[in-house]
Amino acid sequence: MVSRRQTQVIGLVMSIIVLVLLIWLPHHNGSTNTLRWAQVLYIGVAAMGLNLLTGYNGQVSIGHGAFFGVGAYTSALLMHNHGWSFLPTLLVAAPLCFLVGVLVGFPALRVKGLYLALVTLGLAVLFPDLTKKYVHATGGTNLVSLNRGELSPPAWVPTSVSAIGRDDQWAYYVCLGAAVVLVIAALLIVRSRFGRALIAVRDHESAAASVGINAARVKVMAFALSALYAGIAGSCSVLVTHLANAEKVQTFQLSIEFLVALVIGGTATVVGPLLGAWLVVTLQHWISDTLPQHVGSLGPLKRVLGDPAASPALFGIMLILFVFVLPDGVVGGFRRAWARFVRNRNQTPHHAPAPLAT
Amino acid sequence: MSLFLTQLMNGIGNGAVYASLALALVLIFRTTGILNFAQGEMALYSTYLFWYFTDRGLPVVVAILAAMALSFIGGALVERVVIRPVEHSSPLVLVIVTIGLFLALNSIVQVQFGSDIKTNLPRAYPKHTWRPGNVQISADTLVLVGMLAVVCVLLYLLFQRTKIGLAMRAVASSSESARLSGVPVGQMLMFGWGLAAALGALAGVLVIPQIGLQASSMQSILVFSFAAAALGGFDSPVGAVVGGLIVGVAEALTTQYVHALNGIVLIVPFGLILGVLMVRPQGLFGRRTVERV
């Protein structure tokens, strides 16, 4: 039997290897690829936040694109209108998103399940309208676009990779730093007393309340924390995309991407959302950029697959197929395979209970 | 006063559309426990079929019936092929599947029918506005309200007076017991999805000629229908109709009278849901569930 201690050591070694690879990555990649990896990281961060709420606490939200937007706008406006550099804007954006999360979390105390999903959907469709009404940026629209000077890193940042721009490098390492800090934070959160309370409330709210857990406080905190994660992700996205924008479709799509990353990665697991984010970004890139270059050989399919309008269809279909095959996500599937492997090797007759959180 | 009544009538007209799509949502929710995010896009596809048929020269009424019939088959197939395999999965997986369906259908219509706006949709009835005492009542409003009334009566008869309706109610109240007493549960679920798709098709065909047919036509309507269904309670058909009308009227009156909310009218339906759900978490007409520890 592989003991818990051994599993932990394996996990630690793996994380260090992955981290070293991620730090080295820009040396290997061009600017475009580096920025795509930065995108993976910030979507992963938002999905991790959603995981605290949906995976561990059982509250489904389809509105986290709005929190992401709050973070993005806060950073972009502070940098654009007030000449702040990026890092201090996080000190404003993160607490602000936390507060917005608390505000949204309160109604969520009464509203559950699908009803909650719908209320948060309302948040996602309302947010673009709000920004259109109250944010007046480029040409009176709600698009805040930043120029090179406003995005450049502070002077103390060394230039280590000469092949790609200083800005892009800065963007990537900021996203990586945020992801690392927030992964560790998530690990600490889910293993703490509060984390166990999150799970208890998810599994049976009344039972949790009857053993003395303040269910209301736990649920509001879960909302606020996940909003904070999404907001930091939004702030980081500004460095990568050089803008803050909120179109209806876009905000809704982001909210969905977070949820998709979470579900295909594996809910209630710490690394699942990051893996899921990587899958989502890679899949979308593959469908919209790589696939059309190779459909020439497919004959009659070319007209259909080469059409840019077809990418969401392929993405949607792949999504459905994916959850058919792995309903508990990549991490869940991996765990089942691992459990089978370990059991076969040790000839233990009974199935090992799956660990709830790693 | 006449302005108020005019807006009230417009609101009721829009509300009838929200109500019929909300009814479709409730039909599916009651039988399968799924919130179908793709309902609007299914209706969108049906409306494109309608456009295709009339473009090929079919008479309007025949095209509507053909689109509804095909939607019925399509809806039943969606249940069998896409939903059935994940029927017992977690709600989150079901959300992902219907969202996948949403994305797929939305882009399939663009590939299949082109992404330009279709403005040449024929209307099923002449355009006319009556003005009794300065109040404007358009033919659209009357037709939509009439359609809703007919649909409600037909659904009532179907569910209360026919054997198939009885079987569907059995499935909705407990699919396990229904299966044990010999009700073909799978077929009933397919029937429910088909019915919902046909209902959505009817709503789409009647409302879209007023706003133009393009890939995004149904999205805001779907959002309002969600609001309507949540307001009334997801398991209550009566709630869907009442919720739809409330949301429609609230939207029309806000647009007319509350200028501070210009551009963010969406705050109204969601404010309403939030307000109602705070007091009655199961919606206006929903059944309360009792939880045991």
Side-chain angles (χ1 to χ4, degrees), chain B:
Chain B
M1 192 59 196
S2 59
L3 185 64
F4 173 78
L5 287 176
T6 304
Q7 286 302 333
L8 190 68
M9 292 313 288
N10 286 342
I12 291 177
N14 287 340
V17 178
Y18 305 150
S20 28
L21 209 58
L23 264 179
L25 289 168
V26 166
L27 261 180
I28 288 182
F29 184 79
R30 276 185 65 134
T31 42
T32 42
I34 294 173
L35 183 58
N36 185 11
F37 283 94
Q39 197 73 58
E41 307 312 291
M42 283 163 62
L44 181 74
Y45 194 88
S46 313
T47 313
Y48 269 98
L49 282 179
F50 165 71
W51 168 81
Y52 179 83
F53 290 143
T54 53
D55 203 45
R56 291 286 172 286
L58 279 181
V60 177
V61 177
V62 178
I64 292 182
L65 292 177
M68 284 176 69
L70 283 178
S71 307
F72 181 87
I73 298 171
L77 278 179
V78 164
E79 198 283 327
R80 184 67 193 85
V81 177
V82 182
I83 304 296
R84 191 77 60 84
V86 287
E87 205 180 6
H88 300 294
S89 303
S90 75
L92 212 51
V93 167
L94 289 167
V95 168
I96 297 289
V97 167
T98 55
I99 283 177
L101 205 58
F102 172 99
L103 294 173
L105 281 173
N106 188 277
S107 101
I108 286 171
V109 293
Q110 294 181 49
V111 175
Q112 192 178 349
F113 302 102
S115 40
D116 51 324
I117 302 190
K118 319 281 186 220
T119 44
N120 58 340
L121 273 91
R123 304 171 74 89
Y125 49 89
K127 207 176 168 77
H128 186 78
T129 306
W130 287 274
R131 290 189 174 73
N134 276 337
V135 181
Q136 298 179 22
I137 305 172
S138 68
D140 292 333
T141 306
L142 291 185
V143 168
L144 290 170
V145 172
M147 180 263 314
L148 180 65
V150 171
V151 163
C152 287
V153 170
L154 287 180
L155 282 179
Y156 177 81
L157 290 178
L158 174 73
F159 278 102
Q160 302 295 333
R161 296 290 152 85
T162 65
K163 203 136 192 196
I164 202 166
L166 183 66
M168 290 208 40
R169 281 190 292 145
V171 172
S173 91
S174 163
S175 70
E176 206 60 19
S177 325
R179 201 188 299 273
L180 287 171
S181 14
V183 175
V185 173
Q187 285 172 31
M188 286 302 119
L189 294 182
M190 285 171 72
F191 185 78
W193 273 76
L195 210 58
L199 193 57
L202 182 62
V205 162
L206 289 180
V207 73
I208 285 187
Q210 301 172 31
I211 55 177
L213 178 58
Q214 56 180 321
S216 60
S217 294
M218 285 311 280
Q219 282 165 10
S220 64
I221 296 181
L222 183 70
V223 168
F224 279 102
S225 307
F226 274 150
L231 197 60
F234 271 110
D235 52 1
S236 160
V238 180
V241 174
V242 176
L245 294 178
I246 293 178
V247 168
V249 169
E251 180 204 5
L253 294 183
T254 316
T255 316
Q256 178 67 39
Y257 292 108
V258 191
H259 296 293
L261 293 182
N262 265 350
I264 47 173
V265 180
L266 269 172
I267 222 167
V268 172
F270 286 100
L272 268 175
I273 311 184
L274 213 56
V276 168
L277 294 184
M278 296 282 256
V279 186
R280 281 181 64 85
Q282 69 276 32
L284 285 176
F285 294 87
R287 253 176 315 172
R288 207 189 182 108
T289 49
V290 180
E291 199 182 357
R292 284 167 202 275
V293 178

Side-chain angles (χ1 to χ4, degrees), chain A residues 54-55 60 62 106-108 110-112 114-119 121-123 125-126 129-130 133-134 204-207 210 248-249 252-253 256 259-260 262-264 267 303-304 307 309-317 319-320 323-324 327-328, chain B residues 29 33-35 37 81-83 85-86 89 92-93 95-97 99-104 107-108 110-111 219 223 226-227 229-231 233-235 259-267 270 273-274 277-283 286 291-293:
Chain A
T54 305
V60 178
I62 335 177
F106 271 113
R110 291 285 286 168
V111 185
K112 283 175 194 158
L114 285 177
Y115 292 94
L116 178 63
L118 280 185
V119 173
L121 172 71
L123 208 61
V125 291
L126 195 59
D129 287 347
L130 284 172
K133 198 170 162 74
Y134 296 111
H204 208 306
E205 192 174 335
S206 320
S210 70
K248 272 237 154 79
V249 181
F252 178 60
Q253 218 159 31
I256 288 179
L259 198 64
V260 167
L262 173 59
V263 173
I264 69 180
T267 47
R303 193 189 71 83
V304 176
D307 191 332
S311 334
L314 287 175
F315 185 66
I317 292 167
L319 211 58
I320 294 175
V323 294
F324 276 13
D328 45 358
Chain B
F29 184 79
I34 294 173
L35 183 58
F37 283 94
V81 177
V82 182
I83 304 296
V86 287
S89 303
L92 212 51
V93 167
V95 168
I96 297 289
V97 167
I99 283 177
L101 205 58
F102 172 99
L103 294 173
S107 101
I108 286 171
Q110 294 181 49
V111 175
Q219 282 165 10
V223 168
F226 274 150
L231 197 60
F234 271 110
D235 52 1
H259 296 293
L261 293 182
N262 265 350
I264 47 173
V265 180
L266 269 172
I267 222 167
F270 286 100
I273 311 184
L274 213 56
L277 294 184
M278 296 282 256
V279 186
R280 281 181 64 85
Q282 69 276 32
E291 199 182 357
R292 284 167 202 275
V293 178

Side-chain angles (χ1 to χ4, degrees), chain A residues 254-284:
Chain A
L254 267 172
S255 309
I256 288 179
E257 269 172 26
F258 302 154
L259 198 64
V260 167
L262 173 59
V263 173
I264 69 180
T267 47
T269 64
V270 170
V271 286
L274 282 171
L275 274 179
W278 178 76
L279 272 170
V280 167
V281 173
T282 312
L283 207 60
Q284 277 178 339

